[in-house]
Amino acid sequence: MTQNIFGQIDPPSRMLMGPGPVNVHPRVLRAMAADMLGQFDPEMTGYMNQTMALYRQVFMTENRWTLLVDGTARAGIEAALVSLLEPGARLLIVCAGRFGLLLSEIAQRIGAEIFTIDIPWGEVATLKQIEDGIVAHRPHVLACIHGDTSTTMAQPLDGVGELCRRHDVLSYVDATATLGGMPVATDRWGVDIVTGGLQKCMGGPPGSSPITISDRAADYIMSRRHVEAGIRSATTTDGIRARIASNYFDLAMIMDYWSEKRLNHHTEATSMLYAAREAARIMVEEGLEARFARHAAASRAMGAGLRAMGLSLFGSDAHRMTNVTGVLIPDGVDGERVRARMRDDFEIEIGSAFGPLQGRIWRIGAMGYNAAKHKVLLTLGALEAVLRQEGHNLVSGRAVDAALAEYGE
Amino acid sequence: MTQNIFGQIDPPSRMLMGPGPVNVHPRVLRAMAADMLGQFDPEMTGYMNQTMALYRQVFMTENRWTLLVDGTARAGIEAALVSLLEPGARLLIVCAGRFGLLLSEIAQRIGAEIFTIDIPWGEVATLKQIEDGIVAHRPHVLACIHGDTSTTMAQPLDGVGELCRRHDVLSYVDATATLGGMPVATDRWGVDIVTGGLQKCMGGPPGSSPITISDRAADYIMSRRHVEAGIRSATTTDGIRARIASNYFDLAMIMDYWSEKRLNHHTEATSMLYAAREAARIMVEEGLEARFARHAAASRAMGAGLRAMGLSLFGSDAHRMTNVTGVLIPDGVDGERVRARMRDDFEIEIGSAFGPLQGRIWRIGAMGYNAAKHKVLLTLGALEAVLRQEGHNLVSGRAVDAALAEYGE
C-alpha cells in the first residue's frame, strides 16, 4: 500500500457550452450534499413519491409510472428497450443521427429484428415516412430520438402516438437532449415510453434517467414478470412472453419497487434521486413555458451571433433543437485548436462532432442552467476572439451585438 | 401544470446502523458538490485515472482494469455476469443466502446453465465443497458472495482462485458488503472479477460500483467485442463468441472508455465518480489495516453488548462478517415495533431480514463512517432502553459496559 498522493476534488471552473454534460445548477449540487436515508424509511419513500409527481410535470403527462432508472441516460434507453423487446420482436427505428444508431446497437444485443427509416443527418422524418415504415415493416415497437445532439435536429412527434396506436405499435422516444429545454409532450404526442437524462437541459449531473411509461406499456411489461426462463416467444399476442433479459433494467421490478408494494430491488441511488428531485423542482418553480422560452431565446441569440461572425449553421432551419447549435467550421480553421484555445484561454468548452460530421461542425450548447444570456454572450465573444487569433478573416466583430439584438437590446 | 408544493431536500438526521445504505462520510458528500467537467476534459480523465489507481489499493490488486460501473452495486454484478457469460455457458454459484440467489436470478436472464452449491443460511462453503462442485459441474464460471448481508456470514476465499485456474474456470466475487470493511484480497485470492458498492463499508452513497478485472478475464471479455449478432456459441474455446447481451454493461466498451483510447460510451456519472474517488482516498489515508481493525473492533463490541443483554447472535461464530451482526429477536418481542421505536425515539435505523430469517433476526451494521465506537455504544444503549420499554426481561443493563470492555475500557 503506497501513500495517497491525490488531492481533493477541485475541478477548474469551466463553462460547459457543449452538447452536455453542462454546469449543474448550484441548488442541485447542494441537494446532493444531504446524507442518506434507509431505503424504506418513510421519509425516503416520500421523496420517491414526490419525485414521481414532479416528473409527471416535467414529462407533461398523467402517467402513473413516472420514475427514475439508476444510471446515466443510456441506462434509461436500455431499460426501455429491454423491457419492451422480446428476442425476435420487430423494432422500427427512425434513424437520423448517432443516437438512432445507438438504439439499433442496443436492440441488436436484445435479439430484436431491426428495421430503420434512414434520414440524412441534418434532416428529420415526416409523419408520412413513419407511417410508410410502419405499414411496410409491421413492427411491435417504434423508436425514435426527439433531439439528437449529433445532428442538433429535433424530430417533430405530434401525431406519432396516434399513428402507432392505430397500427397497434408500442412507441418509445429518447428525449435525453431535450427534456427540460423543449416541450417533451408525452401525453399530447400519445407515445408510450419516454426517457431522459439530467445532464443536459435539466441542469443536473449525469447518473439518473427519468422515465415515464403509459398504462398500456406498463401492462405489457408487467405481463413479462414471473415467466420461466426458456419459454420464449417473439409474439406479443399469444400470452407466452419471454422474461425481460436484464434484472437491473427490468422495469416491471423497478415499478414494483416504486409502487406502494415497495418490493425490494436495488437500493435507490439516493444522492442521484436528490439531484433529480431538485432539478425538477427548479423547473416547476420556473414554469415550463418560461423555461422553454429561455432556451429558445438563448438558441436564437447564439445562432444570430454565429451568423454575424460569417459562420453557417448546420442542418434544417425548421427543425433545429433550441438548446444546441451546430455550426460549420470554416475552411482553413483547425476546429480542435479552436476548441483547445476556448478551453485554455477562456475556460469555455464547446463540442466537437461524431461520425460524418466529425471535423465539420462544432456543437455549441446553451442547456439548463447554462441557457443564460450572459453565457451566450461570453461564448460568442470568446469564439470571435479565438477565430481572430487564429487568423480567420470572416469575423465581423459584431457577434455580441447581434445576439443582444435578439434579446431586444 | 400545478404549483410546486415540495420543499427542499432536508432529511432527518438518522444514524443508519442497518446493513446499508449507511451514513456517508461528510467529505464524500462535499466532494459530490463539485461542478461538472466535460467527459474528455483532461482534468476529468485525470480524475478517472486517479480513481483507477485508488481502487487498485482498495481491491488489493495490481489489475490494470480497475474502474467504476455507473449504477448501484447490482449494476456491477450484472456487468460482471453479462460480460462473463454467453447464453448456454455453465455457471456454478456458491449459494448461502439471498445474494447467491440474486446471482442465479441475473444469470438466468442471460441464458446461462446454472448449478449451485447450496449451503444453509448462517454457514459457509468449504474449499472441498467448491472443488467438488467444480469437478461435478465443469463450469465456465464460478461465482460467489464474499459477505452476504442476508446471513451476515463471510465466505473464506483463500485458495479459490488457484482452484479455479487449475480447472480453467473464471471466477467472480461479489464483495458489495465487505469492500472497505474487511480485506477484499483480490490478488491473494487469485480471483478474476470482484465488484463492490459504495453504500456499505466504503462510506459513500449507492450509485457507483467499483470493479476489478484480471487480465485473463479482460482478454476473454475483449474477445467478445465486434462479434456479429446471431453468431452464438456457448463454448469459450472455439473462438466464436456471443456478443455481450447488454450495451450499458458491456465491460469491453467500458474498458475502452477508461483506457487511453477513451472510446465514447455513456458519459461517466461525474458526481458519483467524485464520491467514489473521495471514499477511496479516505480509506487509503486511514490505511487498510487500520480500517479493517476499526470495523473488527466495532463488530466485537457490538457482539459483546448484544450478548450482555442476553441476546443470541445468528450464524457461525467462525465466519461472521465484521461489519454487520445478525441477532435473534427474543421470543415475545415484536421485531418491527422495536425497529420503529429505535427510529422514532432515537433516530437510529437497524435492519430487518429476508427470506427464512424474516422476523427471526435483526441485522445491525457498523459500516464505513459508522464503524465508530460512539455509534456502537449509542446503538446498544438505545436498543437496551427500547427492549426494556417493550417489557423484555432479559436485559441486563450492562450492554454498554460490555462493549466498552471490548474497547479495553
Side-chain angles (χ1 to χ4, degrees):
Chain A
M1 297 300 112
T2 61
Q3 194 50 37
N4 177 24
I5 56 169
F6 306 122
Q8 66 175 314
I9 290 286
D10 187 19
S13 174
R14 302 248 205 266
M15 194 188 298
L16 302 178
M17 304 299 282
V22 300
N23 298 97
V24 172
H25 195 297
R27 276 177 51 184
V28 174
L29 294 175
R30 286 200 300 273
M32 279 194 289
D35 200 359
M36 300 299 101
L37 285 166
Q39 187 175 7
F40 299 109
D41 190 310
E43 297 284 340
M44 178 66 186
T45 53
Y47 284 151
M48 292 172 77
N49 291 341
Q50 293 166 12
T51 301
M52 295 176 85
L54 287 163
Y55 278 89
R56 286 187 198 105
Q57 296 187 59
V58 169
F59 279 115
M60 304 168 71
T61 184
E62 303 289 325
N63 284 342
R64 173 183 179 202
W65 298 113
T66 302
L67 38 85
L68 304 177
V69 174
D70 284 336
T72 68
R74 186 177 294 213
I77 298 171
E78 187 156 323
L81 293 181
V82 77
S83 297
L84 283 179
L85 293 169
E86 299 177 64
R90 300 164 70 89
L91 172 67
L92 178 63
I93 302 170
V94 178
C95 195
R98 167 77 188 91
F99 290 94
L101 296 171
L102 176 64
L103 299 183
S104 170
E105 211 273 343
I106 292 170
Q108 279 174 33
R109 315 267 190 138
I110 300 165
E113 192 178 353
I114 295 162
F115 306 91
T116 56
I117 300 171
D118 293 306
I119 304 294
W121 288 38
E123 299 175 25
V124 299
T126 63
L127 199 58
K128 174 75 166 55
Q129 285 174 304
I130 296 173
E131 178 153 30
D132 289 348
I134 288 174
V135 169
H137 301 298
R138 297 167 291 101
H140 296 98
V141 177
L142 173 81
C144 51
I145 309 293
H146 183 214
D148 196 316
T149 52
S150 69
T151 66
T152 73
M153 296 295 108
Q155 172 65 48
L157 290 165
D158 275 315
V160 167
E162 192 276 323
L163 177 64
C164 286
R165 280 161 202 262
R166 184 147 35 86
H167 290 276
D168 198 22
V169 172
L170 288 164
S171 52
Y172 163 67
V173 173
D174 170 10
T176 302
T178 50
L179 192 72
M182 292 177 69
V184 172
T186 304
D187 286 0
R188 195 184 77 213
W189 295 340
V191 295
D192 290 302
I193 298 191
V194 185
T195 65
L198 300 186
Q199 78 275 19
K200 298 185 190 276
C201 300
M202 293 303 297
S208 180
S209 179
I211 185 170
T212 187
I213 306 165
S214 72
D215 284 346
R216 75 174 193 141
D219 286 347
Y220 170 71
I221 292 166
M222 291 294 194
S223 78
R224 297 182 66 187
R225 277 193 302 200
H226 308 303
V227 175
E228 285 302 308
I231 301 173
R232 298 255 152 178
S233 162
T235 80
T236 58
T237 52
D238 67 5
I240 303 172
R241 285 168 186 168
R243 191 172 190 184
I244 293 169
S246 167
N247 171 292
Y248 191 75
F249 291 134
D250 181 331
L251 287 176
M253 295 179 81
I254 295 171
M255 286 188 274
D256 282 342
Y257 174 36
W258 285 72
S259 78
E260 299 73 20
K261 294 190 225 168
R262 298 285 170 208
L263 296 187
N264 187 53
H265 191 241
H266 66 272
T267 303
E268 178 60 17
T270 315
S271 307
M272 294 307 309
L273 176 117
Y274 292 171
R277 180 181 175 283
E278 188 67 9
R281 221 166 62 92
I282 291 167
M283 176 161 169
V284 171
E285 280 176 22
E286 180 174 6
L288 271 61
E289 291 310 317
R291 190 177 179 98
F292 302 146
R294 174 165 62 83
H295 280 82
S299 176
R300 276 195 309 274
M302 189 74 83
L306 294 167
R307 284 181 160 135
M309 283 185 229
L311 304 178
S312 301
L313 305 194
F314 172 76
S316 156
D317 276 328
H319 300 297
R320 215 174 286 295
M321 274 200 280
T322 60
N323 46 49
V324 58
T325 303
V327 56
L328 296 173
I329 300 169
D331 288 341
V333 169
D334 179 336
E336 287 306 292
R337 264 180 63 99
V338 168
R339 292 210 316 128
R341 291 187 83 146
M342 288 290 283
R343 185 187 71 211
D344 296 338
D345 291 337
F346 295 90
E347 299 283 348
I348 297 175
E349 180 180 275
I350 63 172
S352 55
F354 287 106
L357 295 177
Q358 189 166 22
R360 287 185 53 211
I361 69 170
W362 294 301
R363 295 178 300 154
I364 305 182
M367 293 177 162
Y369 187 59
N370 286 356
K373 185 172 83 171
H374 71 286
K375 294 188 179 181
V376 172
L377 300 179
L378 290 167
T379 302
L380 289 168
L383 182 60
E384 199 167 47
V386 168
L387 286 175
R388 203 159 47 228
Q389 290 278 325
E390 290 286 309
H392 181 58
N393 59 13
L394 288 181
V395 173
S396 74
R398 304 301 285 261
V400 168
D401 297 350
L404 277 169
E406 283 294 329
Y407 276 109
E409 293 176 34
Chain B
M1 296 300 113
T2 61
Q3 195 50 38
N4 178 23
I5 55 170
F6 305 123
Q8 66 174 314
I9 289 286
D10 187 19
S13 175
R14 302 248 204 266
M15 195 187 298
L16 302 179
M17 305 299 282
V22 301
N23 298 96
V24 172
H25 196 297
R27 276 176 52 183
V28 175
L29 295 175
R30 286 200 300 273
M32 280 194 289
D35 200 0
M36 299 301 101
L37 285 166
Q39 185 176 7
F40 298 108
D41 190 309
E43 298 284 340
M44 177 67 186
T45 54
Y47 283 151
M48 292 172 76
N49 290 342
Q50 292 165 12
T51 301
M52 295 177 85
L54 288 163
Y55 277 89
R56 286 187 198 104
Q57 296 187 57
V58 170
F59 279 115
M60 304 168 72
T61 184
E62 302 290 325
N63 284 342
R64 173 184 179 201
W65 298 113
T66 302
L67 38 85
L68 305 177
V69 174
D70 284 336
T72 68
R74 186 177 294 214
I77 298 172
E78 187 156 323
L81 293 181
V82 78
S83 297
L84 283 179
L85 295 168
E86 299 177 62
R90 299 165 72 89
L91 172 68
L92 178 63
I93 301 170
V94 179
C95 196
R98 167 78 187 88
F99 290 94
L101 296 171
L102 176 64
L103 299 184
S104 172
E105 211 273 343
I106 292 170
Q108 279 174 35
R109 316 267 189 139
I110 299 165
E113 191 177 355
I114 294 162
F115 306 91
T116 56
I117 300 171
D118 293 306
I119 305 294
W121 288 38
E123 300 176 24
V124 299
T126 63
L127 199 58
K128 174 74 166 57
Q129 284 174 306
I130 295 172
E131 178 152 30
D132 288 349
I134 288 173
V135 170
H137 301 299
R138 296 167 292 101
H140 296 98
V141 177
L142 173 80
C144 52
I145 309 292
H146 183 214
D148 196 316
T149 52
S150 69
T151 67
T152 74
M153 295 295 108
Q155 172 66 48
L157 290 165
D158 275 314
V160 167
E162 193 275 322
L163 178 63
C164 285
R165 280 161 201 263
R166 185 149 34 89
H167 290 277
D168 198 23
V169 173
L170 288 164
S171 52
Y172 165 67
V173 173
D174 170 9
T176 302
T178 50
L179 192 72
M182 292 177 68
V184 173
T186 304
D187 286 0
R188 196 184 77 213
W189 296 340
V191 296
D192 291 302
I193 298 190
V194 185
T195 64
L198 300 187
Q199 78 276 19
K200 298 185 191 277
C201 300
M202 292 304 296
S208 180
S209 179
I211 185 170
T212 187
I213 306 165
S214 72
D215 283 346
R216 74 173 193 143
D219 287 347
Y220 169 70
I221 292 166
M222 291 294 194
S223 77
R224 296 182 66 188
R225 278 191 302 199
H226 308 304
V227 175
E228 286 302 308
I231 302 173
R232 297 254 154 180
S233 162
T235 81
T236 57
T237 53
D238 67 5
I240 304 172
R241 287 169 184 166
R243 192 172 189 182
I244 293 169
S246 167
N247 170 292
Y248 192 75
F249 291 135
D250 181 331
L251 287 176
M253 294 179 82
I254 295 172
M255 287 188 274
D256 282 342
Y257 174 37
W258 285 72
S259 78
E260 299 73 20
K261 294 191 225 166
R262 298 285 170 209
L263 296 187
N264 187 54
H265 191 240
H266 66 271
T267 303
E268 178 60 16
T270 315
S271 307
M272 294 308 308
L273 176 117
Y274 293 170
R277 181 182 174 283
E278 188 66 9
R281 221 166 62 91
I282 291 166
M283 175 161 169
V284 171
E285 281 176 23
E286 180 174 7
L288 271 61
E289 291 310 316
R291 189 177 180 98
F292 301 146
R294 173 164 63 82
H295 280 83
S299 177
R300 277 196 308 274
M302 188 74 83
L306 293 167
R307 284 180 160 135
M309 282 186 230
L311 303 179
S312 301
L313 305 194
F314 172 77
S316 156
D317 276 329
H319 299 297
R320 216 174 285 295
M321 273 200 280
T322 59
N323 46 50
V324 57
T325 304
V327 56
L328 296 173
I329 300 170
D331 287 341
V333 169
D334 179 338
E336 287 306 293
R337 263 180 64 98
V338 168
R339 293 210 316 127
R341 289 187 84 146
M342 288 289 284
R343 185 188 70 211
D344 296 338
D345 291 337
F346 295 90
E347 300 282 349
I348 296 175
E349 180 180 274
I350 63 172
S352 56
F354 287 105
L357 295 176
Q358 188 166 23
R360 288 186 52 211
I361 68 170
W362 294 301
R363 295 178 301 152
I364 306 182
M367 293 178 161
Y369 188 59
N370 286 357
K373 186 173 82 171
H374 71 286
K375 294 188 181 182
V376 172
L377 300 179
L378 289 167
T379 302
L380 288 167
L383 182 60
E384 201 168 45
V386 167
L387 286 174
R388 205 159 45 228
Q389 290 279 325
E390 290 287 309
H392 180 58
N393 59 12
L394 288 180
V395 173
S396 73
R398 305 301 286 261
V400 168
D401 297 350
L404 276 169
E406 284 292 330
Y407 276 109
E409 292 177 34

